[in-house]
Amino acid sequence: MLLDRLIKHAGKLCRSQDGATAIEYGLIAALIAVAAITAMNGLGDQLKTTFNTTSSSMSSANATAAA
């Protein structure tokens, strides 16, 4: 019974444009996620470099002030 209802619902979904629209929105969301992850990876490397440079500068200034 449940399988019959599932098959009937899947058939309606295939004939309907709503299913295609949902798939398109899913693909768009996936593409946006991939783009965001790629951008964040590049930005993450840049931020890591910036924080390391700042940390080194602060350590040098602290060592100079303590001397």
Side-chain angles (χ1 to χ4, degrees), residues 25-42:
Y25 281 128
L27 290 172
I28 291 169
L31 182 62
I32 290 170
V34 168
I37 289 169
T38 302
M40 287 177 198
N41 281 335

Side-chain angles (χ1 to χ4, degrees), residues 3-16 19:
L3 184 58
D4 291 335
R5 286 181 28 204
L6 184 61
I7 291 171
K8 187 183 287 187
H9 182 67
K12 287 180 183 178
L13 190 59
C14 287
R15 287 187 298 271
S16 170

Side-chain angles (χ1 to χ4, degrees), residues 36-57:
I37 289 169
T38 302
M40 287 177 198
N41 281 335
L43 185 61
D45 292 339
Q46 185 178 6
L47 281 175
K48 182 179 178 181
T49 302
T50 301
F51 282 124
N52 285 337
T53 303
T54 303
S55 176
S56 296
S57 297

